[in-house]
Amino acid sequence: MRISIGSDHAGFDLKQHLIGFLSAQGHEVRDHGTDSTESVDYPPFCADVARAVVSGDADVGIVMGGSGQGEQIAANKVDGCRAALCNDLYLARMARQHNNANVLSIGGRVVGTGLAEEIVTLFLATDFEGGRHQRRVDLITEIERN
């Protein structure tokens, strides 16, 4: 799977860990930055990840910051991005199953590396159910277009 990943300074350590974790599983991981724990503004990194997913350059994206909230919001400003903040397993499964989320947001100051690995693994393995959920995703897309 092609995965685009990005973070701010607060999510940097978790991003680096997940790059190694995902690469070891055979995924192609593209790092959109940042490159250190030095304070930076997160919106450009998150938008780059979202654009890669929406354009088809990546299958899914992962963004991280301190809480993951702002990162999710920034990514969702890109038309076609459905970023979901998933700091637990239930939310990761539902984001994919019911909302067809294409970008995962995680709080690097909220989630430890072990749980983050489980969240990412579940997010990547969960398929969209379609059906009644497709109708809702279509309505979200219609809102985006208007």
Side-chain angles (χ1 to χ4, degrees), residues 39-72:
S39 183
V40 294
D41 296 324
Y42 58 81
F45 303 108
C46 299
D48 283 348
V49 168
R51 286 185 191 108
V53 172
V54 171
S55 72
D57 289 339
D59 299 308
V60 297
I62 303 171
V63 294
M64 287 153 286
S67 70
Q69 288 282 20
E71 292 73 22
Q72 171 200 5

PDB file of all heavy atoms in Angstrom, residues 39-72:
ATOM      1  N   SER A  39       9.585  23.403  16.613  1.00  0.00           N
ATOM      2  CA  SER A  39       8.217  23.885  16.428  1.00  0.00           C
ATOM      3  C   SER A  39       7.949  24.373  15.007  1.00  0.00           C
ATOM      4  O   SER A  39       8.725  25.153  14.448  1.00  0.00           O
ATOM      5  CB  SER A  39       7.921  25.012  17.412  1.00  0.00           C
ATOM      6  OG  SER A  39       6.583  25.432  17.293  1.00  0.00           O
ATOM      7  N   VAL A  40       6.853  23.868  14.423  1.00  0.00           N
ATOM      8  CA  VAL A  40       6.413  24.261  13.079  1.00  0.00           C
ATOM      9  C   VAL A  40       4.888  24.342  13.077  1.00  0.00           C
ATOM     10  O   VAL A  40       4.218  23.836  13.968  1.00  0.00           O
ATOM     11  CB  VAL A  40       6.862  23.253  11.997  1.00  0.00           C
ATOM     12  CG1 VAL A  40       8.370  23.245  11.845  1.00  0.00           C
ATOM     13  CG2 VAL A  40       6.335  21.866  12.284  1.00  0.00           C
ATOM     14  N   ASP A  41       4.343  24.950  12.043  1.00  0.00           N
ATOM     15  CA  ASP A  41       2.902  24.992  11.844  1.00  0.00           C
ATOM     16  C   ASP A  41       2.487  23.782  11.018  1.00  0.00           C
ATOM     17  O   ASP A  41       3.070  23.508   9.964  1.00  0.00           O
ATOM     18  CB  ASP A  41       2.508  26.283  11.131  1.00  0.00           C
ATOM     19  CG  ASP A  41       2.828  27.517  11.967  1.00  0.00           C
ATOM     20  OD1 ASP A  41       2.698  27.445  13.200  1.00  0.00           O
ATOM     21  OD2 ASP A  41       3.223  28.534  11.379  1.00  0.00           O
ATOM     22  N   TYR A  42       1.471  23.071  11.469  1.00  0.00           N
ATOM     23  CA  TYR A  42       1.088  21.793  10.857  1.00  0.00           C
ATOM     24  C   TYR A  42       0.264  21.874   9.572  1.00  0.00           C
ATOM     25  O   TYR A  42       0.302  20.934   8.776  1.00  0.00           O
ATOM     26  CB  TYR A  42       0.334  20.915  11.863  1.00  0.00           C
ATOM     27  CG  TYR A  42      -0.907  21.563  12.428  1.00  0.00           C
ATOM     28  CD1 TYR A  42      -2.107  21.564  11.722  1.00  0.00           C
ATOM     29  CD2 TYR A  42      -0.866  22.196  13.658  1.00  0.00           C
ATOM     30  CE1 TYR A  42      -3.227  22.185  12.228  1.00  0.00           C
ATOM     31  CE2 TYR A  42      -1.993  22.811  14.174  1.00  0.00           C
ATOM     32  CZ  TYR A  42      -3.171  22.802  13.466  1.00  0.00           C
ATOM     33  OH  TYR A  42      -4.283  23.418  13.977  1.00  0.00           O
ATOM     34  N   PRO A  43      -0.524  22.915   9.293  1.00  0.00           N
ATOM     35  CA  PRO A  43      -1.415  22.853   8.127  1.00  0.00           C
ATOM     36  C   PRO A  43      -0.762  22.481   6.797  1.00  0.00           C
ATOM     37  O   PRO A  43      -1.323  21.645   6.070  1.00  0.00           O
ATOM     38  CB  PRO A  43      -2.062  24.239   8.097  1.00  0.00           C
ATOM     39  CG  PRO A  43      -2.114  24.621   9.553  1.00  0.00           C
ATOM     40  CD  PRO A  43      -0.790  24.139  10.085  1.00  0.00           C
ATOM     41  N   PRO A  44       0.405  23.021   6.439  1.00  0.00           N
ATOM     42  CA  PRO A  44       0.970  22.643   5.134  1.00  0.00           C
ATOM     43  C   PRO A  44       1.306  21.155   5.022  1.00  0.00           C
ATOM     44  O   PRO A  44       1.098  20.541   3.970  1.00  0.00           O
ATOM     45  CB  PRO A  44       2.238  23.497   5.018  1.00  0.00           C
ATOM     46  CG  PRO A  44       2.011  24.645   5.934  1.00  0.00           C
ATOM     47  CD  PRO A  44       1.188  24.104   7.066  1.00  0.00           C
ATOM     48  N   PHE A  45       1.794  20.554   6.086  1.00  0.00           N
ATOM     49  CA  PHE A  45       2.144  19.134   6.059  1.00  0.00           C
ATOM     50  C   PHE A  45       0.895  18.274   5.882  1.00  0.00           C
ATOM     51  O   PHE A  45       0.882  17.315   5.106  1.00  0.00           O
ATOM     52  CB  PHE A  45       2.881  18.728   7.340  1.00  0.00           C
ATOM     53  CG  PHE A  45       4.127  19.526   7.594  1.00  0.00           C
ATOM     54  CD1 PHE A  45       4.176  20.464   8.618  1.00  0.00           C
ATOM     55  CD2 PHE A  45       5.257  19.356   6.802  1.00  0.00           C
ATOM     56  CE1 PHE A  45       5.311  21.206   8.854  1.00  0.00           C
ATOM     57  CE2 PHE A  45       6.411  20.097   7.030  1.00  0.00           C
ATOM     58  CZ  PHE A  45       6.442  21.028   8.052  1.00  0.00           C
ATOM     59  N   CYS A  46      -0.153  18.623   6.592  1.00  0.00           N
ATOM     60  CA  CYS A  46      -1.412  17.862   6.524  1.00  0.00           C
ATOM     61  C   CYS A  46      -2.074  18.020   5.160  1.00  0.00           C
ATOM     62  O   CYS A  46      -2.606  17.050   4.605  1.00  0.00           O
ATOM     63  CB  CYS A  46      -2.344  18.308   7.634  1.00  0.00           C
ATOM     64  SG  CYS A  46      -1.642  18.039   9.274  1.00  0.00           S
ATOM     65  N   ALA A  47      -2.050  19.219   4.632  1.00  0.00           N
ATOM     66  CA  ALA A  47      -2.625  19.454   3.303  1.00  0.00           C
ATOM     67  C   ALA A  47      -1.853  18.680   2.238  1.00  0.00           C
ATOM     68  O   ALA A  47      -2.460  18.120   1.318  1.00  0.00           O
ATOM     69  CB  ALA A  47      -2.639  20.947   2.988  1.00  0.00           C
ATOM     70  N   ASP A  48      -0.530  18.610   2.361  1.00  0.00           N
ATOM     71  CA  ASP A  48       0.271  17.846   1.395  1.00  0.00           C
ATOM     72  C   ASP A  48      -0.111  16.366   1.420  1.00  0.00           C
ATOM     73  O   ASP A  48      -0.232  15.730   0.366  1.00  0.00           O
ATOM     74  CB  ASP A  48       1.767  17.990   1.686  1.00  0.00           C
ATOM     75  CG  ASP A  48       2.334  19.323   1.238  1.00  0.00           C
ATOM     76  OD1 ASP A  48       1.645  20.067   0.503  1.00  0.00           O
ATOM     77  OD2 ASP A  48       3.484  19.620   1.623  1.00  0.00           O
ATOM     78  N   VAL A  49      -0.295  15.818   2.613  1.00  0.00           N
ATOM     79  CA  VAL A  49      -0.709  14.413   2.739  1.00  0.00           C
ATOM     80  C   VAL A  49      -2.073  14.224   2.090  1.00  0.00           C
ATOM     81  O   VAL A  49      -2.283  13.302   1.294  1.00  0.00           O
ATOM     82  CB  VAL A  49      -0.725  13.970   4.214  1.00  0.00           C
ATOM     83  CG1 VAL A  49      -1.422  12.623   4.370  1.00  0.00           C
ATOM     84  CG2 VAL A  49       0.689  13.916   4.776  1.00  0.00           C
ATOM     85  N   ALA A  50      -3.021  15.090   2.423  1.00  0.00           N
ATOM     86  CA  ALA A  50      -4.378  14.974   1.868  1.00  0.00           C
ATOM     87  C   ALA A  50      -4.369  15.089   0.349  1.00  0.00           C
ATOM     88  O   ALA A  50      -5.057  14.329  -0.341  1.00  0.00           O
ATOM     89  CB  ALA A  50      -5.284  16.036   2.485  1.00  0.00           C
ATOM     90  N   ARG A  51      -3.599  16.017  -0.184  1.00  0.00           N
ATOM     91  CA  ARG A  51      -3.521  16.182  -1.643  1.00  0.00           C
ATOM     92  C   ARG A  51      -2.953  14.930  -2.311  1.00  0.00           C
ATOM     93  O   ARG A  51      -3.398  14.542  -3.389  1.00  0.00           O
ATOM     94  CB  ARG A  51      -2.679  17.397  -2.000  1.00  0.00           C
ATOM     95  CG  ARG A  51      -3.379  18.713  -1.744  1.00  0.00           C
ATOM     96  CD  ARG A  51      -2.542  19.900  -2.226  1.00  0.00           C
ATOM     97  NE  ARG A  51      -3.115  21.128  -1.735  1.00  0.00           N
ATOM     98  CZ  ARG A  51      -2.569  21.886  -0.773  1.00  0.00           C
ATOM     99  NH1 ARG A  51      -1.409  21.556  -0.217  1.00  0.00           N
ATOM    100  NH2 ARG A  51      -3.165  22.995  -0.375  1.00  0.00           N
ATOM    101  N   ALA A  52      -1.976  14.298  -1.691  1.00  0.00           N
ATOM    102  CA  ALA A  52      -1.396  13.076  -2.246  1.00  0.00           C
ATOM    103  C   ALA A  52      -2.443  11.975  -2.326  1.00  0.00           C
ATOM    104  O   ALA A  52      -2.513  11.238  -3.313  1.00  0.00           O
ATOM    105  CB  ALA A  52      -0.205  12.624  -1.406  1.00  0.00           C
ATOM    106  N   VAL A  53      -3.288  11.880  -1.308  1.00  0.00           N
ATOM    107  CA  VAL A  53      -4.336  10.859  -1.283  1.00  0.00           C
ATOM    108  C   VAL A  53      -5.401  11.173  -2.332  1.00  0.00           C
ATOM    109  O   VAL A  53      -5.784  10.308  -3.130  1.00  0.00           O
ATOM    110  CB  VAL A  53      -4.965  10.732   0.120  1.00  0.00           C
ATOM    111  CG1 VAL A  53      -6.173   9.812   0.106  1.00  0.00           C
ATOM    112  CG2 VAL A  53      -3.919  10.237   1.123  1.00  0.00           C
ATOM    113  N   VAL A  54      -5.878  12.387  -2.351  1.00  0.00           N
ATOM    114  CA  VAL A  54      -6.954  12.779  -3.267  1.00  0.00           C
ATOM    115  C   VAL A  54      -6.506  12.662  -4.726  1.00  0.00           C
ATOM    116  O   VAL A  54      -7.284  12.256  -5.593  1.00  0.00           O
ATOM    117  CB  VAL A  54      -7.457  14.200  -2.931  1.00  0.00           C
ATOM    118  CG1 VAL A  54      -8.403  14.720  -3.998  1.00  0.00           C
ATOM    119  CG2 VAL A  54      -8.135  14.210  -1.561  1.00  0.00           C
ATOM    120  N   SER A  55      -5.252  12.967  -5.007  1.00  0.00           N
ATOM    121  CA  SER A  55      -4.744  12.900  -6.381  1.00  0.00           C
ATOM    122  C   SER A  55      -4.464  11.468  -6.834  1.00  0.00           C
ATOM    123  O   SER A  55      -4.247  11.226  -8.021  1.00  0.00           O
ATOM    124  CB  SER A  55      -3.464  13.722  -6.509  1.00  0.00           C
ATOM    125  OG  SER A  55      -2.390  13.065  -5.850  1.00  0.00           O
ATOM    126  N   GLY A  56      -4.445  10.540  -5.888  1.00  0.00           N
ATOM    127  CA  GLY A  56      -4.153   9.150  -6.232  1.00  0.00           C
ATOM    128  C   GLY A  56      -2.687   8.785  -6.113  1.00  0.00           C
ATOM    129  O   GLY A  56      -2.305   7.654  -6.403  1.00  0.00           O
ATOM    130  N   ASP A  57      -1.851   9.714  -5.685  1.00  0.00           N
ATOM    131  CA  ASP A  57      -0.434   9.407  -5.484  1.00  0.00           C
ATOM    132  C   ASP A  57      -0.215   8.508  -4.268  1.00  0.00           C
ATOM    133  O   ASP A  57       0.838   7.899  -4.134  1.00  0.00           O
ATOM    134  CB  ASP A  57       0.386  10.692  -5.313  1.00  0.00           C
ATOM    135  CG  ASP A  57       0.509  11.473  -6.605  1.00  0.00           C
ATOM    136  OD1 ASP A  57       0.325  10.876  -7.692  1.00  0.00           O
ATOM    137  OD2 ASP A  57       0.783  12.690  -6.533  1.00  0.00           O
ATOM    138  N   ALA A  58      -1.201   8.466  -3.371  1.00  0.00           N
ATOM    139  CA  ALA A  58      -1.152   7.600  -2.188  1.00  0.00           C
ATOM    140  C   ALA A  58      -2.512   6.933  -2.031  1.00  0.00           C
ATOM    141  O   ALA A  58      -3.538   7.496  -2.420  1.00  0.00           O
ATOM    142  CB  ALA A  58      -0.814   8.407  -0.944  1.00  0.00           C
ATOM    143  N   ASP A  59      -2.507   5.736  -1.451  1.00  0.00           N
ATOM    144  CA  ASP A  59      -3.765   5.031  -1.192  1.00  0.00           C
ATOM    145  C   ASP A  59      -4.456   5.576   0.045  1.00  0.00           C
ATOM    146  O   ASP A  59      -5.679   5.696   0.086  1.00  0.00           O
ATOM    147  CB  ASP A  59      -3.500   3.536  -1.018  1.00  0.00           C
ATOM    148  CG  ASP A  59      -2.883   2.928  -2.267  1.00  0.00           C
ATOM    149  OD1 ASP A  59      -3.447   3.125  -3.367  1.00  0.00           O
ATOM    150  OD2 ASP A  59      -1.832   2.268  -2.134  1.00  0.00           O
ATOM    151  N   VAL A  60      -3.688   5.880   1.072  1.00  0.00           N
ATOM    152  CA  VAL A  60      -4.194   6.471   2.308  1.00  0.00           C
ATOM    153  C   VAL A  60      -3.141   7.420   2.865  1.00  0.00           C
ATOM    154  O   VAL A  60      -1.979   7.375   2.462  1.00  0.00           O
ATOM    155  CB  VAL A  60      -4.553   5.413   3.390  1.00  0.00           C
ATOM    156  CG1 VAL A  60      -5.673   4.504   2.946  1.00  0.00           C
ATOM    157  CG2 VAL A  60      -3.347   4.619   3.796  1.00  0.00           C
ATOM    158  N   GLY A  61      -3.579   8.235   3.820  1.00  0.00           N
ATOM    159  CA  GLY A  61      -2.664   9.150   4.479  1.00  0.00           C
ATOM    160  C   GLY A  61      -2.768   9.042   5.985  1.00  0.00           C
ATOM    161  O   GLY A  61      -3.788   8.580   6.514  1.00  0.00           O
ATOM    162  N   ILE A  62      -1.712   9.471   6.650  1.00  0.00           N
ATOM    163  CA  ILE A  62      -1.692   9.536   8.113  1.00  0.00           C
ATOM    164  C   ILE A  62      -1.082  10.881   8.492  1.00  0.00           C
ATOM    165  O   ILE A  62      -0.007  11.246   7.996  1.00  0.00           O
ATOM    166  CB  ILE A  62      -0.858   8.399   8.730  1.00  0.00           C
ATOM    167  CG1 ILE A  62      -1.375   7.024   8.271  1.00  0.00           C
ATOM    168  CG2 ILE A  62      -0.860   8.491  10.251  1.00  0.00           C
ATOM    169  CD1 ILE A  62      -0.475   5.860   8.660  1.00  0.00           C
ATOM    170  N   VAL A  63      -1.783  11.611   9.362  1.00  0.00           N
ATOM    171  CA  VAL A  63      -1.269  12.882   9.872  1.00  0.00           C
ATOM    172  C   VAL A  63      -1.241  12.822  11.393  1.00  0.00           C
ATOM    173  O   VAL A  63      -2.086  12.173  12.006  1.00  0.00           O
ATOM    174  CB  VAL A  63      -2.096  14.092   9.372  1.00  0.00           C
ATOM    175  CG1 VAL A  63      -1.962  14.248   7.861  1.00  0.00           C
ATOM    176  CG2 VAL A  63      -3.562  13.988   9.764  1.00  0.00           C
ATOM    177  N   MET A  64      -0.268  13.493  11.989  1.00  0.00           N
ATOM    178  CA  MET A  64      -0.108  13.475  13.435  1.00  0.00           C
ATOM    179  C   MET A  64       0.320  14.827  13.967  1.00  0.00           C
ATOM    180  O   MET A  64       1.042  15.558  13.297  1.00  0.00           O
ATOM    181  CB  MET A  64       0.956  12.449  13.829  1.00  0.00           C
ATOM    182  CG  MET A  64       0.507  11.026  13.694  1.00  0.00           C
ATOM    183  SD  MET A  64       1.891   9.930  13.404  1.00  0.00           S
ATOM    184  CE  MET A  64       2.242  10.324  11.707  1.00  0.00           C
ATOM    185  N   GLY A  65      -0.151  15.105  15.162  1.00  0.00           N
ATOM    186  CA  GLY A  65       0.261  16.287  15.898  1.00  0.00           C
ATOM    187  C   GLY A  65       0.139  15.962  17.369  1.00  0.00           C
ATOM    188  O   GLY A  65       0.112  14.788  17.744  1.00  0.00           O
ATOM    189  N   GLY A  66       0.015  16.974  18.200  1.00  0.00           N
ATOM    190  CA  GLY A  66      -0.131  16.728  19.627  1.00  0.00           C
ATOM    191  C   GLY A  66      -1.408  15.976  19.952  1.00  0.00           C
ATOM    192  O   GLY A  66      -1.391  14.899  20.538  1.00  0.00           O
ATOM    193  N   SER A  67      -2.542  16.522  19.516  1.00  0.00           N
ATOM    194  CA  SER A  67      -3.838  15.871  19.765  1.00  0.00           C
ATOM    195  C   SER A  67      -4.386  15.198  18.514  1.00  0.00           C
ATOM    196  O   SER A  67      -5.204  14.296  18.606  1.00  0.00           O
ATOM    197  CB  SER A  67      -4.865  16.895  20.259  1.00  0.00           C
ATOM    198  OG  SER A  67      -5.216  17.789  19.206  1.00  0.00           O
ATOM    199  N   GLY A  68      -3.977  15.656  17.359  1.00  0.00           N
ATOM    200  CA  GLY A  68      -4.519  15.173  16.096  1.00  0.00           C
ATOM    201  C   GLY A  68      -5.707  15.979  15.597  1.00  0.00           C
ATOM    202  O   GLY A  68      -6.120  15.846  14.456  1.00  0.00           O
ATOM    203  N   GLN A  69      -6.242  16.847  16.445  1.00  0.00           N
ATOM    204  CA  GLN A  69      -7.445  17.618  16.091  1.00  0.00           C
ATOM    205  C   GLN A  69      -7.189  18.601  14.947  1.00  0.00           C
ATOM    206  O   GLN A  69      -7.875  18.575  13.940  1.00  0.00           O
ATOM    207  CB  GLN A  69      -7.956  18.410  17.307  1.00  0.00           C
ATOM    208  CG  GLN A  69      -8.586  17.577  18.364  1.00  0.00           C
ATOM    209  CD  GLN A  69     -10.010  17.162  18.024  1.00  0.00           C
ATOM    210  OE1 GLN A  69     -10.434  17.162  16.880  1.00  0.00           O
ATOM    211  NE2 GLN A  69     -10.750  16.787  19.033  1.00  0.00           N
ATOM    212  N   GLY A  70      -6.218  19.463  15.140  1.00  0.00           N
ATOM    213  CA  GLY A  70      -5.932  20.464  14.114  1.00  0.00           C
ATOM    214  C   GLY A  70      -5.475  19.832  12.813  1.00  0.00           C
ATOM    215  O   GLY A  70      -5.808  20.304  11.726  1.00  0.00           O
ATOM    216  N   GLU A  71      -4.736  18.748  12.936  1.00  0.00           N
ATOM    217  CA  GLU A  71      -4.238  18.046  11.759  1.00  0.00           C
ATOM    218  C   GLU A  71      -5.397  17.485  10.941  1.00  0.00           C
ATOM    219  O   GLU A  71      -5.400  17.559   9.712  1.00  0.00           O
ATOM    220  CB  GLU A  71      -3.270  16.941  12.190  1.00  0.00           C
ATOM    221  CG  GLU A  71      -1.974  17.466  12.785  1.00  0.00           C
ATOM    222  CD  GLU A  71      -2.109  18.055  14.195  1.00  0.00           C
ATOM    223  OE1 GLU A  71      -3.066  17.724  14.922  1.00  0.00           O
ATOM    224  OE2 GLU A  71      -1.244  18.863  14.561  1.00  0.00           O
ATOM    225  N   GLN A  72      -6.372  16.922  11.624  1.00  0.00           N
ATOM    226  CA  GLN A  72      -7.575  16.415  10.949  1.00  0.00           C
ATOM    227  C   GLN A  72      -8.305  17.555  10.251  1.00  0.00           C
ATOM    228  O   GLN A  72      -8.700  17.429   9.088  1.00  0.00           O
ATOM    229  CB  GLN A  72      -8.505  15.748  11.955  1.00  0.00           C
ATOM    230  CG  GLN A  72      -9.852  15.388  11.368  1.00  0.00           C
ATOM    231  CD  GLN A  72     -10.928  15.195  12.432  1.00  0.00           C
ATOM    232  OE1 GLN A  72     -10.723  15.402  13.611  1.00  0.00           O
ATOM    233  NE2 GLN A  72     -12.096  14.806  11.987  1.00  0.00           N
TER     234      GLN A  72
END
